C-alpha cells in the first residue's frame, strides 16, 4: 500500500481484508445510487424539452440516461370552500386540494418518457416574498395534508384576515394574487424507475373547475377561456379562420392546436352574461411560453351590443404590453385592418412609407411588402408582427411571435383589493406613478428615490422632470389594497431604444 512516497508493508491476511473492505464500499455505493435523491434543479440534470398538457408546459429531464417528464400539478379551488375556525378556537384554516396527473403516453422525439409518481408534498413560504401579506404573514403556516389518498395544502393562521387574504388570492385572478401565490414553494417527492426524485416548483396553477361556466369549452392556464388561437406559419388565414363558423374539436390531451376557434365568438353577449362582474377580452402574442405583446379590453360594459368584431375597439382598451398603446391617434384599429395588404387585427398609428410606419402589431395573412412586416416570413401565413418599442417598426422595433391568442378572462377583484389611493398620480390609463426622473436634470436618482418629499401632481397630468410618490413608503400595503402589480423600473427614449431618456417606476392595472 502506497500513500504518496511512504510505503507500508502489508501481509496477505491484511490484503484480503483490505480487498473485502474496498469491494464492500463499492457495492454499497452502487446500491445506494439507485435510490439516490435527485433534485431536478441540480446541475447534472438536463432539461431536454417541453410538452403541452392542459395548457401548461411540462418539462422533461435527462437524469443519467433516464428521461422523465414532470407531472401536471395544480391547486383546485372551489367557491364552496371557506375559511373556518379551528375546533379548539385558537386560529383559522382552509385547505385546497392538489391535482397531480401524469400526461398519458408521453413521448419526445418518438422516445417514451418516464413518469414521476408523487409520494409526498411539502409546502413552505419563501420569506423574501411574504411582505405581500403585510406584517401579519408571520402567523401563517402552510403544510401538506393527506386524507383518503387525496393530497391537499392546508393553510393555518392566527388571524382570520390573513387566511381570508390568502384564500382570496387562490380564488380570484388579480396581481396581488400572483404576488402571494409566488411566495409559496412546493417540493414534490416521488419515484421513477426505482429512483427517488425531488422536484421544486415556485409556481403552481390554480384551477377553479367547480365554478367554471362552459365546462365543455377549452380552458387553459387555469382561468383563461380560449376563444381563438393560431400558430405562426401554420398555412391558414388568421382572418378567415377567425370569421369562419367552423366547429373545432377540443384536444383530449390538453395540447393547443395550430388553429382553434370557439363558437362562443358568435354569441358573446350570452357568454358575458354567465356571470356578473368584470370580464376582459385579451388579445396576446407569445414566443414560446413568454408573453411578448398584449392588449386587454374591458367588455364588462354594454355587453348586449358586443359582437366578435366590436370588442376590438380602442375605447375598450384597459391595458397593454410592452408599452401603453393609448386610445387615440390611429389610422387602423380593427380586426379587418388593412384589406389591401391583409394586415389583420391591426393596431397602427400612421403610414409614412415602410421606413416610417408606426404602430403596435399586425397579423399578416400574406407576405408583407415592407421589410418590418416580412422579417418573420417563413413561406406560409400568418406572420405575427409586434413592435417592441413605441414608434417606428423599422427602428429595430419589429419582432415576430410564435402564436396569437384571444381569450376571455374573469377579473373579479375581492372586496379587500382594487381601491386606488385618492392622491395618486394616475397616467396612461390605469397606471399609478411611483417615481420618475429625467436624464440630465442634475439631481441624483438614488437620493431622490430614497428621500421622502412632497411632490405636487401636475394639473395637466404631464410627466414632471422628477416625481416621487409617498406610496413608496408603504409599498406592500399599496400593492395589496390597489390590486395592482409593481412594474420594474424601465428606461424610455423618445428617439431610440438604446438612448436612456427617463426611468419610471409604476403600478400597473389588475390582471
Amino acid at each position: 500500500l502506497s500513500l504518496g512516497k511512504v510505503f507500508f508493508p502489508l501481509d496477505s491476511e491484511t490484503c484480503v481484508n483490505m480487498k473485502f473492505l474496498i469491494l464492500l464500499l463499492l457495492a454499497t455505493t452502487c446500491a445506494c445510487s439507485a435510490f439516490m435523491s435527485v433534485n431536478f434543479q441540480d446541475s447534472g440534470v438536463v432539461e431536454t424539452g417541453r410538452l403541452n398538457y392542459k395548457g401548461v408546459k411540462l418539462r422533461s429531464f435527462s437524469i443519467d440516461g433516464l428521461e422523465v417528464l414532470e407531472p401536471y400539478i395544480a391547486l383546485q379551488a372551489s367557491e364552496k370552500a371557506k375559511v373556518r375556525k379551528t375546533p379548539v378556537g385558537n386560529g383559522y384554516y382552509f385547505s385546497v386540494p392538489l391535482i397531480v396527473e401524469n400526461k398519458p403516453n408521453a413521448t419526445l422525439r418518438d422516445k417514451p418518457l418516464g413518469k414521476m409518481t408523487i409520494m409526498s408534498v411539502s409546502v413552505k413560504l419563501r420569506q423574501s416574498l411574504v411582505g405581500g401579506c403585510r406584517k401579519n404573514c408571520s402567523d401563517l403556516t402552510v403544510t401538506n395534508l393527506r386524507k383518503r389518498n387525496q393530497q391537499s395544502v392546508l393553510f393555518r393562521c392566527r388571524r382570520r384576515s390573513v387566511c381570508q387574504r390568502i384564500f382570496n388570492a387562490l380564488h380570484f385572478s388579480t396581481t396581488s394574487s400572483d404576488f402571494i401565490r409566488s411566495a409559496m414553494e412546493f417540493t414534490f417527492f416521488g419515484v421513477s424507475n426505482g429512483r427517488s426524485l425531488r422536484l421544486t416548483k415556485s409556481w403552481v396553477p390554480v384551477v377553479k373547475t367547480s365554478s367554471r361556466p362552459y365546462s365543455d369549452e377549452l380552458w387553459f392556464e387555469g382561468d383563461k377561456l380560449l376563444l381563438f388561437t393560431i400558430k405562426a406559419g401554420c398555412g391558414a388565414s388568421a382572418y378567415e379562420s377567425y370569421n369562419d363558423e367552423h366547429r373545432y374539436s377540443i384536444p383530449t390531451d390538453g395540447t393547443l392546436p395550430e388553429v382553434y376557434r370557439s363558437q362562443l365568438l358568435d354569441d358573446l353577449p350570452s357568454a358575458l352574461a354567465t356571470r356578473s362582474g368584470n370580464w376582459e377580452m385579451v388579445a396576446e402574442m407569445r414566443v414560446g411560453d413568454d408573453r411578448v405583446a398584449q392588449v386587454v379590453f374591458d367588455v364588462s360594459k354594454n355587453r348586449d351590443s358586443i359582437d366578435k368584431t366590436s370588442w376590438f375597439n380602442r375605447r375598450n382598451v384597459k391595458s397593454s404590453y410592452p408599452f401603453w398603446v393609448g386610445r387615440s391617434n390611429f389610422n387602423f384599429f380593427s380586426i379587418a385592418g388593412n384589406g389591401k395588404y391583409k394586415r389583420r387585427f391591426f393596431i397602427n398609428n400612421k403610414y409614412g412609407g415602410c421606413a416610417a410606419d408606426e404602430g403596435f402589431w399586425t397579423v399578416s395573412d400574406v407576405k408583407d411588402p415592407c421589410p418590418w412586416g416580412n422579417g418573420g416570413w417563413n413561406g406560409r401565413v400568418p406572420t405575427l408582427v409586434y413592435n417592441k418599442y413605441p414608434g417606428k417598426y423599422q427602428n429595430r422595433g419589429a419582432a415576430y411571435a410564435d402564436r396569437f391568442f384571444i381569450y376571455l378572462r374573469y377579473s373579479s377583484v375581492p372586496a379587500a383589493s382594487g381601491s386606488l389611493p385618492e392622491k395618486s398620480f394616475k397616467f396612461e390609463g390605469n397606471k399609478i406613478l411611483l417615481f420618475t426622473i429625467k436624464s440630465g436634470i442634475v439631481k441624483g436618482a438614488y437620493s431622490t428615490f430614497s428621500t421622502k418629499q412632497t411632490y405636487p401632481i401636475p394639473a395637466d397630468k404631464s410627466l414632471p422632470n422628477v416625481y416621487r410618490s409617498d406610496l413608496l413608503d408603504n409599498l406592500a400595503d399599496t400593492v395589496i389594497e390597489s390590486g395592482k402589480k409593481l412594474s420594474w423600473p424601465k428606461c424610455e427614449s423618445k428617439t431610440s431604444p438604446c438612448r436612456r431618456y427617463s426611468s419610471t417606476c409604476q403600478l400597473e392595472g389588475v390582471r
Side-chain angles (χ1 to χ4, degrees), residues 362-376:
T362 183
V363 178
S364 295
D365 272 340
V366 294
K367 183 178 180 180
D368 200 274
C370 288
W372 61 261
N374 60 42

Side-chain angles (χ1 to χ4, degrees), residues 7-19:
F7 294 87
F8 297 88
L10 299 175
D11 56 31
S12 58
E13 183 178 355
T14 306
C15 285
V16 172
N17 291 336
M18 182 64 73
K19 289 178 182 178

Side-chain angles (χ1 to χ4, degrees), residues 119-140:
M119 306 302 291
S120 64
V121 184
S122 69
V123 189
K124 69 176 183 179
L125 284 178
R126 293 188 291 169
Q127 295 301 315
S128 60
L129 294 175
V130 297
C133 313
R134 301 185 182 179
K135 299 176 181 178
N136 296 331
C137 247
S138 58
D139 75 357
L140 171 69

Side-chain angles (χ1 to χ4, degrees), residues 229-236 238 257-259 285-287 362-365 376-385 400-405:
T229 187
I230 191 166
K231 190 176 181 180
C234 69
E258 289 190 344
V259 183
M285 290 187 183
R286 295 187 185 183
V287 174
T362 183
V363 178
S364 295
D365 272 340
W377 175 255
N378 67 356
R380 299 203 304 171
V381 297
T383 304
L384 311 179
V385 189
Y400 310 95
D402 299 335
R403 186 179 281 274
F404 181 64
F405 290 87

Side-chain angles (χ1 to χ4, degrees), residues 11-12 54 63 99 124 159 190 280 325 339 404 414 456 510:
D11 56 31
S12 58
K54 294 190 175 182
I63 308 170
I99 302 172
K124 69 176 183 179
R159 304 186 186 187
E280 296 172 341
V325 69
F404 181 64
V510 174

